[in-house]
Amino acid sequence: MWLPGLNLLRRQLSTAAARGLVYERHGEPAQVLRLQSLKVSSPTDYEVRVKMLAAPINPSDINMVQGTYALLPQLPAVGGNEGVGVVAEVGAHVSSFRSGDWVIPVDTGLGTWRTEGVFNEDALVRVPSDISVVGAATLSVNPCTAYRLLSDYETLRPGDSVIQNASNSSVGQAVIQLAASLGITTINIVRDRTELQSLVHRLHELGADHVITEDQLRKPEMKDLFKTCPRPRLALNCVGGKSTTEMLRHLAYGGTMVTYGGMAKQPVTVPVSALIFKNVKLCGFWVTQWKRDRHQIDREEITKMIRDLCDLIRRGKLVPPPCTQRPLDDFAQALCDAQTPFLSRKQILIM
């Protein structure tokens, strides 16, 4: 009886060490998040105990803590919606995973800024462990968004072109790489900045064909670009305001503009002429809702997307954005850097 008792004690000690970034009210992350001990029990039935390896800080994570996101968890809550972990223990009826598997969240709101947690089997999807930890940790939101934006709205073929703003964002960088792997030309809009040439060089290295500033987008010289490049059939908008209106001016007849973000916090203004004379289509996209819809209908579509993206990562065709890795204890600095304009480095919490 002594040995089983010792094993139980060891399990209790290991689970007692779990920690996470918890908030009990909404507000600025630096003010409301606290690193606290978390109680983690053994999984039951269809549950899985996961030891988190890494989790990024995304703008949507910040918005959720602030209380401005479309979906808000019940408080108190652990922050973070994305990350990768390794399965430590499975419940009696779990069939999808076994100990040692790497997993990432399917849905939002799991609370990934923690060292360990117990989640429902359906809330996770397996990823291969032969890709980088950072690549896996940043896979479930931005690359999935880019994949769907390029797949679901226009039938794009090699030689077609796409125009996008916020091109240096994580989604923008994923769009550049996925488009390059498909032979699709990208016209990439960025805000002017002090280190513009360095940014332009980095985007070209990822596979960007054209990188222009918002000011250049408004100039008459833009028409010269389309002497060698077809007008885009797809416009991807993450900014709003004037940037969006200017993109619409260059969209091909019958093209589609998809809005998936609103960084400028300004409305999307659409000229009547674009609707009447160019017959453009306007759509919105939210990857969380897309996953929820497919999860209920056909989960295979989600797993196929993850397989495709992991294959691109293995082949070196899809790399994560520049990152700064910080231990969980340094969360305050990571949060500060994640909210610093023009820093252009994803903050990753390493557990």
Side-chain angles (χ1 to χ4, degrees):
M1 295 296 292
W2 177 81
L3 186 57
L6 179 61
N7 287 338
L8 177 60
L9 177 60
R10 283 175 176 164
R11 176 184 295 180
Q12 290 172 339
L13 288 173
S14 67
T15 56
R19 298 183 303 160
L21 291 176
V22 179
Y23 57 106
E24 298 180 348
R25 60 184 176 87
H26 293 297
E28 287 307 309
Q31 298 172 4
V32 300
L33 282 167
R34 299 288 181 270
L35 186 56
Q36 298 180 3
S37 296
L38 301 175
K39 183 179 179 182
V40 179
S41 56
S42 289
T44 60
D45 295 335
Y46 298 97
E47 291 180 332
V48 179
R49 182 166 65 88
V50 176
K51 286 186 174 293
M52 294 301 298
L53 299 174
I57 300 176
N58 292 318
S60 56
D61 302 327
I62 301 292
N63 295 153
M64 190 171 281
V65 175
Q66 292 169 332
T68 59
Y69 198 60
L71 286 176
L72 299 176
Q74 184 177 351
L75 300 181
V78 176
N81 295 290
E82 188 179 29
V84 62
V86 59
V87 173
E89 187 181 0
V90 299
H93 301 302
V94 170
S95 58
S96 306
F97 310 110
R98 60 184 180 183
S99 293
D101 285 345
W102 279 21
V103 290
I104 62 174
V106 174
D107 204 354
T108 189
L110 288 191
T112 55
W113 296 346
R114 64 172 87 207
T115 59
E116 191 174 347
V118 174
F119 309 111
N120 192 281
E121 176 184 20
D122 285 345
L124 305 167
V125 61
R126 185 169 55 242
V127 294
S129 58
D130 60 352
I131 62 176
S132 72
V133 169
V134 170
T138 55
L139 179 62
S140 67
V141 177
N142 298 312
C144 289
T145 297
Y147 185 103
R148 301 267 49 109
L149 291 173
L150 292 172
S151 303
D152 295 351
Y153 295 94
E154 289 284 341
T155 304
L156 299 171
R157 297 180 176 85
D160 288 340
S161 71
V162 171
I163 189 169
Q164 64 166 343
N165 53 27
S167 303
N168 60 310
S169 67
S170 297
V171 172
Q173 293 182 50
V175 165
I176 289 170
Q177 296 175 81
L178 295 181
S181 73
L182 297 169
I184 295 165
T185 299
T186 54
I187 304 166
N188 302 281
I189 305 158
V190 296
R191 288 183 295 174
D192 204 352
R193 63 195 66 209
T194 345
E195 299 178 354
L196 178 62
Q197 289 311 309
S198 172
L199 173 61
V200 171
H201 177 70
R202 181 156 57 85
L203 296 183
H204 279 311
E205 282 189 325
L206 291 177
D209 297 284
H210 307 281
V211 182
I212 58 177
T213 65
E214 290 183 337
D215 287 339
Q216 291 172 319
L217 181 67
R218 301 186 186 103
K219 293 185 182 297
E221 289 77 17
M222 267 298 292
K223 65 179 182 297
D224 295 333
L225 176 64
F226 300 113
K227 292 176 182 176
T228 56
C229 168
R231 286 191 176 270
R233 296 175 52 194
L234 180 65
L236 305 177
N237 170 45
C238 183
V239 178
K242 292 180 180 178
S243 172
T244 309
T245 308
E246 291 298 324
M247 280 203 305
L248 276 171
R249 290 179 53 231
H250 303 295
L251 201 58
Y253 178 86
T256 303
M257 186 179 76
V258 187
T259 294
Y260 67 95
M263 291 168 58
K265 299 182 179 178
Q266 295 173 0
V268 172
T269 305
V270 182
V272 172
S273 59
L275 297 172
I276 298 175
F277 303 119
K278 296 184 73 174
N279 195 31
V280 299
K281 299 179 286 293
L282 306 177
C283 306
F285 178 75
W286 185 26
V287 72
T288 297
Q289 190 61 53
W290 185 92
K291 286 179 180 176
R292 289 187 169 190
D293 292 343
R294 296 314 183 279
H295 188 272
Q296 296 174 1
I297 302 168
D298 183 10
R299 188 182 170 96
E300 175 56 29
E301 199 169 356
I302 297 174
T303 55
K304 178 188 181 301
M305 174 176 64
I306 298 298
R307 284 198 305 268
D308 289 348
L309 291 170
C310 288
D311 182 56
L312 288 171
I313 292 173
R314 283 197 201 94
R315 291 160 48 202
K317 303 287 187 182
L318 178 63
V319 298
C323 297
T324 298
Q325 301 180 39
R326 295 187 182 278
L328 185 60
D329 289 308
D330 285 351
F331 73 92
Q333 186 61 54
L335 286 168
C336 176
D337 290 349
Q339 295 176 273
T340 301
F342 298 111
L343 190 59
S344 297
R345 293 189 69 84
K346 180 73 68 179
Q347 302 299 305
I348 309 286
L349 297 172
I350 302 297
M351 312 306 174

